[in-house]
Amino acid sequence: MASQEAAQPAASATTLDVTTVLRALSDPVRLELVRQLRASDAPIACGTFDVAVAKNTLSHHFKTLREAGVIVTHRKGTQALNTLQEDELDAAFPGLLDAILPRRVRRASTTTTTAPPTRRTSAAR
């Protein structure tokens, strides 16, 4: 008989704790998981993240992020799919995700500029 994981209720902006969220985001592996989730348009299955850690370590990181309310995991068949709680985090802590995980650097203009030529020293000649 296959085990069923109980669905964890999504965190609301009123239940998120800033210390818990920041602690969850302080680990580089967890931060990378959140970065990948933020860049994705769809939930991501646990086994498909691009991180170089053991499966049991990855499970620990997902649990920490879930307990902090940063992500929600739900089952679809045999897959555990993860979703970033971006709206809830933005409501509770406006600008937090943008401050630590910029989406993309926006181009100031569509024209390309070239850098001014650099002077070569006599040692470089």
Side-chain angles (χ1 to χ4, degrees), residues 8 30 57-69 71 73:
Q8 180 179 351
R30 290 192 292 269
T57 303
L58 192 57
S59 294
H60 167 74
H61 288 304
F62 285 126
K63 179 181 177 189
T64 301
L65 290 169
R66 273 194 310 272
E67 289 176 349
I71 67 170
T73 303

Side-chain angles (χ1 to χ4, degrees), residues 43-121:
I44 302 176
C46 288
T48 61
F49 284 86
D50 186 20
V51 289
V53 295
K55 186 177 178 180
N56 63 336
T57 303
L58 192 57
S59 294
H60 167 74
H61 288 304
F62 285 126
K63 179 181 177 189
T64 301
L65 290 169
R66 273 194 310 272
E67 289 176 349
V70 175
I71 67 170
V72 169
T73 303
H74 67 277
R75 293 230 172 245
K76 184 176 181 183
T78 60
Q79 290 185 318
L81 299 172
N82 299 283
T83 306
L84 179 63
Q85 295 293 93
E86 191 164 0
D87 292 340
E88 291 78 1
L89 288 166
D90 283 341
F93 315 113
L96 174 67
L97 288 176
D98 288 331
I100 60 174
L101 292 172
R103 286 191 184 269
R104 288 186 189 140
V105 177
R106 294 184 191 138
R107 293 183 182 168
S109 67
T110 57
T111 60
T112 57
T113 59
T114 57
T118 56
R119 290 183 65 183
R120 296 168 77 188
T121 62

Side-chain angles (χ1 to χ4, degrees), residues 4-21:
Q4 288 283 332
E5 181 178 309
Q8 180 179 351
S12 71
T14 58
T15 61
L16 292 170
D17 175 64
V18 70
T19 305
T20 307
V21 169

